[in-house]
Amino acid sequence: MSGFLWLEWRRVRPWLYVLAGAAIMLPLLGYLWPLIFKPGHDFPPPRPDPELGLSIGYALGIATLAFSFLLRNWRRGKLPEVLFLSPYHDLAGLLAQFSLVAAVWTFYTVALTTWSQMLARLWLQLPYNPILSFQSGLYSAGLVFVPAVAWLVLLERFAWRFRLYRLAALALVFFLSGSAFAAWLVGERVGAISGELLSPWRILQGRWPTGVRVMEVSQEPLWAALLLALVFLGWAWAIGREVEL
Amino acid sequence: MIGLVLLAIVLGLGTGLYLLFSRPRGPATKALILVLLGAVAWAAARTGLELGGQVMVFQRAIPVQYGPWRTVHEAIPVSWEGVDTLDLELVEASVELRPGPGAVLATIEAPESLLRRLEVVARRQDGSLLLENVPPPADSPARYQLTIQLPMELPYLEVSPPESTRKSVHWFGMNIQGVSVGEAVIREAGLEVRDAVIGDLSLRDPIEVRLVNAEIGHLTSSGGVFRFRVLDPRVPPEGAVYEIEGCDYCRYLFAFTGPFHLRLALGPGARLETDLTPRREGESHIFGDEALPSLQVQVGEGTVEVLALLNGISEP
């Protein structure tokens, strides 16, 4: 397992640097943007907008995630020894790949959210604000991005399944097409889960310029999303075992 | 957009069926192909139904609602020298008070030709500054927003609607941001205080109150507050004191991050919910930071008192 983790760390490390820089710079840029590019002829003067950086940050993160998966497979095609080191049916390899990418993503989301909300609020009320911001980042990461990473792992295994038959491109098109509609379906179902069984959690939601809102969110959709991620991983493992090496 | 959806459906169905009957057929792969095919088929059915509905039903377009705020056309600076009291009369306007060297009055003009422009008149009187604005027509849908720069320290601030428009349908709002006011009296207006310090805040029949990161030494509120929010206040060391009375059917939301002393004097129809004590029928919601020490709730005759306990001693 540690060997696979080392291998994955080597692949993920460049993206980690990019994402860490983006998580720091984008909210700051979004915050400073109106001050730099609309210097005060307007009345009342323009207000900084940290939400801009947050939106760009999420878009960039998703693009980076997808691109890192593409590049990873492109490099694999060029380097047969990497293929040799990481057989796809191996559970340890799969878990190492998922856990490192999911950890990077969670770190990125939490950093982006916490930093943006700190900027949006213009003051720090320790430890109340950072903790609530951290929770909201963790919640959104668990609800959306961890299942998304598991789904991408499944996509990779599925496309690889057809590679020997020169049908990988076809499988990729089919999977992406099906994913769009499955996300539609799953998103509706997960969003409709009512939070009546478990007590809700309080997280922070930053809105600019109206301020912040402490809101209650249900636990159940989060657990459903994490369970779904587990199902995707199990499925990816099962498909990986069917690959004829 | 619909073209892209149809293309994705056709591609998904075609490639999925082809893969289903191709050579690699493990149970896990086959199951995934069937699930994805099901998702595509479901999307096809749903898109077909929606397209059918669009063809058959003609819906009336909803008229576009334009934003409530009018454009600021002119700013008139007014000197603050020798003024330690500010009286504001509001008419269908939202005023924002910010720190600065002098009052900046905005003359605001509505783009619609039928609406009169909002004019603000400033008068000096015995060390105080009176700001009045000319009311727009009673049925005017326009709202105006103006910013007034306050000195960092203002001893007294009074905000009220003029007698002529009292009990009318007009709407008044006040935002206080980044300043320090000794005593403030707000009558019949919505109020938002943000990043500010107010020694003594008195609310008479306020519409809606939001205190965000505000340090209020003593707050008294009476009349028909229907929404009252305190978010992350900068509570003074001795604890903030809030007194609210005479309100039926009000909704209060409090989030405290420090010691506080809250005293609610409720009308006979008021309902109180709290999660500090076990939930009971008709209780309201008061919550604090989980890091706070334990809270003590005293329910009296028509009053509820909430005290934060510091080291086992109630404050204040």
Side-chain angles (χ1 to χ4, degrees):
Chain A
M1 181 72 183
S2 58
F4 285 116
L5 279 174
W6 174 81
L7 198 65
E8 291 301 330
W9 169 246
R10 285 198 55 179
R11 288 169 178 155
V12 162
R13 196 169 50 190
W15 301 110
L16 185 65
Y17 296 147
V18 171
L19 289 176
I24 294 167
M25 290 308 296
L26 284 175
L28 198 63
L29 187 68
Y31 174 72
L32 293 175
W33 187 273
L35 300 178
I36 298 170
F37 296 100
K38 293 178 187 168
H41 296 300
D42 294 337
F43 186 86
R47 292 180 167 184
D49 182 10
E51 282 183 37
L52 180 68
L54 200 62
S55 311
I56 297 173
Y58 278 133
L60 180 83
I62 289 168
T64 307
L65 184 67
F67 191 61
S68 71
F69 265 83
L70 284 177
L71 194 75
R72 168 196 171 83
N73 284 286
W74 174 73
R75 287 178 67 188
R76 182 172 286 150
K78 300 285 179 193
L79 298 169
E81 67 276 13
V82 178
L83 174 64
F84 177 70
L85 283 171
S86 54
Y88 290 104
H89 60 272
D90 193 279
L91 187 60
L94 185 134
L95 286 180
Q97 180 189 352
F98 167 75
S99 53
L100 260 178
V101 176
V104 167
W105 245 101
T106 306
F107 155 78
Y108 176 65
T109 316
V110 168
L112 198 67
T113 313
T114 310
W115 179 224
S116 293
Q117 290 185 351
M118 280 180 177
L119 283 175
R121 310 188 74 187
L122 301 174
W123 79 97
L124 294 177
Q125 187 106 42
L126 295 169
Y128 191 59
N129 296 5
I131 288 175
L132 284 176
S133 303
F134 180 80
Q135 283 169 347
S136 63
L138 212 57
Y139 186 83
S140 57
L143 193 67
V144 179
F145 298 117
V146 170
V149 171
W151 187 252
L152 277 174
V153 171
L154 182 60
L155 160 70
E156 196 183 55
R157 297 298 188 276
F158 182 75
W160 202 253
R161 173 80 176 84
F162 293 91
R163 187 171 174 268
L164 287 180
Y165 307 98
R166 310 238 176 241
L167 293 173
L170 214 60
L172 203 66
V173 169
F174 170 58
F175 194 96
L176 288 176
S177 161
S179 301
F181 300 121
W184 192 6
L185 192 64
V186 170
E188 276 187 3
R189 291 289 171 270
V190 171
I193 294 173
S194 64
E196 292 172 354
L197 290 174
L198 304 168
S199 59
W201 284 335
R202 288 193 193 110
I203 62 171
L204 198 71
Q205 197 184 48
R207 282 284 174 269
W208 191 262
T210 50
V212 293
R213 206 151 58 105
V214 179
M215 59 182 296
E216 291 190 335
V217 289
S218 307
Q219 286 190 48
E220 287 86 340
L222 176 68
W223 296 121
L226 292 178
L227 187 69
L228 213 55
L230 214 59
V231 170
F232 295 156
L233 283 181
W235 215 333
W237 178 59
I239 289 178
R241 289 180 69 83
E242 291 174 359
V243 173
E244 296 151 33
L245 287 174
Chain B
M1 184 63 192
I2 193 68
L4 278 176
V5 173
L6 289 176
L7 180 69
I9 288 172
V10 170
L11 273 177
L13 285 175
T15 51
L17 287 172
Y18 182 80
L19 289 176
L20 188 65
F21 296 108
S22 65
R23 194 179 153 198
R25 284 192 293 271
T29 311
K30 207 168 185 176
L32 186 57
I33 291 174
L34 286 173
V35 166
L36 289 173
L37 265 177
V40 177
W42 171 81
R46 189 168 157 167
T47 309
L49 282 176
E50 282 181 6
L51 279 178
Q54 278 181 11
V55 169
M56 295 302 292
V57 180
F58 293 94
Q59 292 181 339
R60 272 189 63 191
I62 301 166
V64 178
Q65 297 288 332
Y66 294 101
W69 299 110
R70 303 297 103 189
T71 316
V72 177
H73 282 268
E74 200 180 342
I76 310 157
V78 176
S79 169
W80 270 106
E81 286 174 36
V83 172
D84 57 0
T85 302
L86 177 64
D87 292 332
L88 286 174
E89 288 205 340
L90 301 179
V91 176
E92 195 76 12
S94 170
V95 178
E96 191 170 281
L97 301 182
R98 289 186 167 207
V104 175
L105 306 181
T107 303
I108 300 170
E109 199 168 53
E112 294 88 346
S113 58
L114 291 175
L115 299 173
R116 288 162 55 185
R117 55 189 270 156
L118 181 75
E119 292 173 5
V120 182
V121 181
R123 284 192 287 121
R124 249 179 237 283
Q125 195 174 41
D126 302 330
S128 68
L129 189 71
L130 261 73
L131 302 177
E132 300 165 359
N133 41 5
V134 180
D139 57 346
S140 160
R143 288 180 180 173
Y144 305 89
Q145 188 166 33
L146 52 131
T147 300
I148 296 173
Q149 293 187 337
L150 277 181
M152 285 301 288
E153 302 280 342
L154 181 72
Y156 184 79
L157 166 70
E158 182 164 342
V159 179
S160 62
E163 286 294 335
S164 59
T165 57
R166 199 161 279 175
K167 309 297 179 193
S168 70
V169 294
H170 284 93
W171 185 93
F172 320 106
M174 162 65 61
N175 301 324
I176 299 175
Q177 189 169 348
V179 296
S180 173
V181 180
E183 185 183 352
V185 179
I186 315 287
R187 285 196 181 87
E188 298 176 40
L191 172 71
E192 178 167 326
V193 182
R194 184 182 288 272
D195 302 325
V197 180
I198 298 180
D200 200 336
L201 177 60
S202 178
L203 303 170
R204 316 272 167 81
D205 288 320
I207 299 168
E208 180 177 358
V209 182
R210 275 175 67 91
L211 305 177
V212 182
N213 194 28
E215 183 178 322
I216 310 289
H218 188 264
L219 182 146
T220 317
S221 176
S222 62
V225 179
F226 68 86
R227 209 183 299 164
F228 192 100
R229 289 165 180 260
V230 182
L231 293 175
D232 300 315
R234 289 181 300 195
V235 181
E238 67 274 13
V241 180
Y242 302 97
E243 288 184 26
I244 299 169
E245 59 184 327
C247 179
D248 289 356
Y249 311 109
C250 301
R251 181 177 171 78
Y252 303 116
L253 177 64
F254 296 98
F256 292 103
T257 53
F260 66 95
H261 178 187
L262 171 70
R263 188 172 186 277
L264 300 173
L266 305 171
R271 291 169 19 140
L272 181 70
E273 297 166 18
T274 172
D275 61 358
L276 303 174
T277 54
R279 274 185 190 282
R280 291 191 298 268
E281 186 64 31
E283 286 181 336
S284 81
H285 193 76
I286 302 174
F287 63 83
D289 183 3
E290 280 77 2
L292 269 180
S294 61
L295 301 169
Q296 189 181 43
V297 181
Q298 295 171 0
V299 182
E301 187 68 32
T303 64
V304 177
E305 208 152 349
V306 186
L307 303 170
L309 299 178
L310 292 176
N311 303 320
I313 303 165
S314 62
E315 288 280 343

